[in-house]
């Protein structure tokens, strides 16, 4: 890459920092993409002339709103709601809603930025957006969750539409929350507009496999990475961080493919079960009873619960971070590599810090970044939108096969892109370059948007 070009990209990045002060996660996500774009601008100089990088770093629209709600005791609470509509060159804004106390504009922007490129990789007609709130669903009653969701949607509905902006779930937003959100949308608009939300329940417009899709898809991606290396998932020892929706179905698919999952976690601690995690129990604790995983050890005396433990210290061959951003730092990455880890598939968004990514790339292990590896969730959301548009519903097998085909294609196209730019095996560069090219090639013909 020429020095002039490097300086140009560096200047754009400095401008992003200046325009979005204090939004560290957003800076991190932008930096990671920009660092890989030099060779793309050499090949497509028109992208530089058209200022595509500058344009994609600026969301098309950012909405911030007040969400007042009352708890069961009648006390009033005020939270902040967000929807960042990043880019709609390829299709309507698409991306989940996150309810977590850590949420602020910088988190939503990083997630929206990642989402734009992830969605482009799926090859489906969806743009990028993300939203959420600093509301903490932990410990709230069903009625409190309902009142919050109704208040949140009372503002958000005016910005949504099946051809405009289509939210789904993310951390803290699952089937229960989506139900309350959809119910309120339907009530306010007087429209049964199935395609306005994805991740819906099976009885009211949802798609089979959507619940499993992010986890299953991440494992399909790892399977493909290992195939290139003449290896497979079967018989491998795995560690999966988290115990939410993504983690549960990552563990399920790993087990189906003959791997052994020996550890999972929540924000309080980790469970290590050398015999293999009992997934039915995790599902019951998390999906039905909404409990913490510390309860797991009371059911299995040979399992260990370590409060505050570091899951990356548990030796494994396949690591699948499926909890949250920046959960693997440089030191954790070194520990994983030293303990014999050969593959990392990211179910969470940006779970590895830049130092950690460098360790994985230098060690040349199979490293599948979230943008590519966890795209199965949103891809299946797009399949849900297809079913809604045609008023159809597909079988589990048919939908799962489509998901598998999409993940296999994301793998091969990101691999080939990296190879074509002389960076064989580097899925970070492949995913960033390919998705940027797709977004840019959709933006240019639409004029100055
Ligand atoms: N929140 C998920 C993601 O990070 C899914 C988004 C969607 O289905 O729209 O990709």
């Amino acid at each position: 890459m020429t020095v002039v070009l490097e300086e140009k990209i560096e200047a754009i990045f400095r401008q992003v920092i200046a325009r979005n002060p204090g939004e560290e996660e957003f800076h991190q996500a932008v930096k990671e993409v920009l660092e890989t774009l030099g060779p793309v601008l050499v090949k497509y100089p028109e992208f530089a002339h058209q200022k595509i990088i500058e344009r994609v770093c600026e969301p098309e629209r950012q909405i911030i709103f007040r969400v007042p709600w009352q708890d069961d005791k009648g006390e009033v609470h005020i939270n902040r709601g967000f929807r960042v509509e990043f880019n709609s060159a390829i299709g309507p804004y698409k991306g989940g809603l996150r309810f977590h106390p850590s949420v602020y504009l910088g988190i939503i922007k990083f997630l929206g930025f990642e989402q734009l490129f992830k969605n482009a990789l799926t090859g489906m007609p969806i743009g990028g957006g993300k939203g959420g709130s600093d509301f903490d669903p932990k410990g709230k009653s069903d009625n409190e969750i309902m009142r919050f969701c109704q208040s949140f949607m009372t503002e958000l509905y005016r910005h949504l539409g099946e051809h405009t902006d289509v939210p789904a779930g993310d951390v803290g937003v699952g089937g229960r929350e989506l139900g309350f959100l959809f119910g309120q949308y339907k009530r306010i608009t007087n429209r049964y507009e199935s395609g306005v939300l994805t991740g819906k329940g099976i009885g009211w417009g949802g798609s089979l496999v959507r619940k499993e899709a992010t986890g299953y898809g991440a494992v399909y991606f790892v399977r493909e990475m290992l195939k290139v290396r003449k290896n497979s998932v079967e018989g491998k020892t795995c560690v999966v961080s988290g115990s939410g929706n993504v983690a549960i179905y990552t563990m399920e698919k790993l087990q189906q493919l003959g791997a052994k999952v020996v550890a999972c976690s929540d924000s309080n601690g980790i469970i290590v079960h050398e015999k293999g995690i009992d997934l039915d129990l995790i599902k019951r604790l998390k999906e039905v009873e909404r409990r913490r995983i510390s309860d797991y050890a009371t059911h299995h005396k040979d399992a260990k619960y370590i409060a505050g433990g570091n899951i990356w210290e548990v030796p494994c061959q396949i690591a699948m971070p499926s909890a949250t951003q920046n959960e693997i730092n440089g030191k954790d990455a070194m520990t994983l590599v030293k303990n014999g880890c050969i593959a990392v598939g990211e179910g969470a968004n940006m779970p590895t810090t830049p130092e950690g990514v460098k360790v994985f790339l230098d060690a040349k292990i199979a490293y599948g970044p979230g943008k590519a590896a966890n795209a199965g969730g949103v891809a299946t959301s797009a399949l849900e939108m297809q079913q809604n548009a045609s008023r159809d519903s597909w079988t589990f097998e048919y939908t799962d096969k489509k998901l598998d085909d999409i993940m296999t294609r994301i793998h091969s196209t990101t691999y080939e892109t990296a190879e074509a730019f002389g960076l064989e095996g580097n899925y970070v560069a492949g995913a960033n370059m390919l998705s940027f090219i797709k977004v840019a090639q959709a933006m240019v013909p639409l004029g100055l948007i």
Side-chain angles (χ1 to χ4, degrees):
M1 199 189 344
T2 63
V3 178
V4 185
L5 192 57
E6 253 173 58
E7 278 170 9
K8 207 168 172 174
I9 294 178
E10 188 58 43
I12 298 173
F13 182 58
R14 277 200 304 273
Q15 208 180 19
V16 169
I17 297 181
R19 287 170 69 81
N20 305 276
E23 298 176 359
E24 278 169 36
E25 297 82 359
F26 179 49
H27 303 164
Q28 183 184 334
V30 170
K31 186 160 191 265
E32 190 219 271
V33 171
L34 263 49
E35 274 172 356
T36 59
L37 292 185
V40 174
L41 294 190
V42 172
K43 187 163 176 211
Y44 301 92
E46 67 272 25
F47 294 165
H49 297 146
Q50 299 265 351
K51 299 222 163 141
I52 299 291
I53 302 186
E54 290 90 327
R55 280 198 265 157
V56 293
C57 290
E58 184 71 20
E60 288 178 16
R61 191 176 297 107
Q62 306 183 52
I63 303 147
I64 304 181
F65 51 100
R66 178 172 67 202
V67 190
W69 60 280
Q70 255 178 324
D71 67 22
D72 289 343
K73 293 198 244 32
E75 194 180 327
V76 172
H77 299 268
I78 314 295
N79 282 98
R80 189 171 283 180
F82 301 91
R83 187 73 184 165
V84 175
E85 298 180 331
F86 238 99
N87 195 303
S88 58
I90 297 182
Y93 310 109
K94 181 83 198 84
L97 298 170
R98 176 176 293 195
F99 292 170
H100 192 272
S102 65
V103 164
Y104 74 108
L105 190 56
I107 294 264
I108 299 299
K109 269 199 217 161
F110 116 64
L111 289 166
F113 188 77
E114 291 279 299
Q115 195 81 49
L116 164 64
F117 296 110
K118 178 193 326 194
N119 294 4
L121 285 182
T122 66
M124 317 289 283
I126 43 178
K130 203 88 185 193
S133 174
D134 55 1
F135 172 74
D136 186 1
K138 221 178 279 165
K140 303 288 189 297
S141 71
D142 287 352
N143 278 326
E144 288 172 332
I145 298 283
M146 181 180 74
R147 285 195 291 275
F148 177 81
C149 288
Q150 289 180 338
S151 181
F152 185 85
M153 186 54 91
T154 300
E155 167 61 30
L156 190 64
Y157 89 93
R158 74 196 72 237
H159 306 289
L160 307 183
E162 63 174 319
H163 301 296
T164 308
D165 187 350
V166 183
D170 195 83
V171 174
V173 179
R176 173 181 59 170
E177 290 74 18
L178 287 165
F180 296 143
L181 291 165
F182 186 67
Q184 186 72 351
Y185 182 86
K186 187 174 80 59
R187 194 173 170 208
I188 296 175
T189 60
N190 194 32
R191 283 165 63 86
Y192 204 104
E193 193 183 332
S194 301
V196 76
L197 283 181
T198 61
K200 298 183 295 296
I202 299 308
W204 41 280
S207 170
L208 289 167
V209 194
R210 176 61 192 88
K211 187 171 70 173
E212 294 83 357
T214 311
Y216 279 20
V219 178
Y220 294 151
F221 194 89
V222 168
R223 182 197 65 201
E224 291 303 303
M225 289 197 298
L226 290 175
K227 208 182 275 173
V228 171
R229 292 161 183 249
K230 312 258 178 291
N231 207 334
S232 74
V233 170
E234 197 182 342
K236 301 292 184 296
T237 300
C238 310
V239 157
V240 179
S241 66
S243 48
N245 179 257
V246 178
I248 287 175
Y249 293 97
T250 295
M251 294 193 266
E252 183 164 286
K253 186 51 74 180
L254 285 169
Q255 291 181 349
Q256 284 174 7
L257 296 188
K260 184 162 86 164
V261 183
V262 294
C264 64
S265 64
D266 65 16
S267 53
N268 295 117
I270 68 173
I271 284 287
V272 184
H273 199 175
E274 294 297 345
K275 223 170 70 189
I277 293 285
D278 171 357
L279 198 53
D280 287 338
L281 178 58
I282 296 279
K283 281 188 185 174
R284 198 179 85 210
L285 291 174
K286 300 301 292 188
E287 291 183 336
V288 184
E289 298 172 8
R290 296 186 188 277
R291 304 177 77 91
R292 308 299 294 168
I293 55 151
S294 51
D295 289 354
Y296 184 98
T298 60
H299 291 80
H300 285 287
K301 296 293 173 220
D302 55 338
K304 248 194 334 229
Y305 175 70
I306 310 169
N310 183 349
I311 195 162
W312 311 120
E313 286 170 7
V314 180
C316 66
Q317 292 155 299
I318 299 176
M320 307 222 31
S322 309
T324 194
Q325 66 273 0
N326 292 330
E327 53 173 312
I328 298 183
N329 61 28
K331 196 162 152 270
D332 299 328
M334 277 189 288
T335 308
L336 281 164
V337 171
K338 191 179 84 224
N339 285 343
C341 179
I342 56 165
V344 175
E346 295 184 340
N349 290 312
M350 205 171 75
T352 310
T353 65
E355 297 74 33
V357 173
K358 188 168 179 321
V359 171
F360 293 147
L361 293 178
D362 288 350
K364 298 205 178 306
I365 64 164
Y367 170 58
K371 223 174 263 137
N374 74 38
V378 75
T380 308
S381 278
L383 299 178
E384 182 174 332
M385 292 162 77
Q386 280 187 16
Q387 293 168 78
N388 292 152
S390 58
R391 300 187 186 281
D392 198 359
S393 46
W394 305 338
T395 64
F396 192 95
E397 290 67 30
Y398 181 79
T399 317
D400 187 32
K401 172 80 171 63
K402 281 201 173 262
L403 166 65
D404 196 339
D405 289 347
I406 292 168
M407 294 313 297
T408 303
R409 198 173 55 233
I410 293 175
H411 173 273
S412 60
T413 53
T414 50
Y415 183 87
E416 284 156 15
T417 303
E419 200 178 31
F421 282 96
L423 296 161
E424 195 176 332
N426 183 337
Y427 294 94
V428 177
N432 288 341
M433 295 195 285
L434 177 61
S435 57
F436 178 80
I437 293 168
K438 280 174 179 260
V439 173
Q441 284 180 336
M443 287 177 75
V444 172
L446 301 188
L448 193 50
I449 53 163

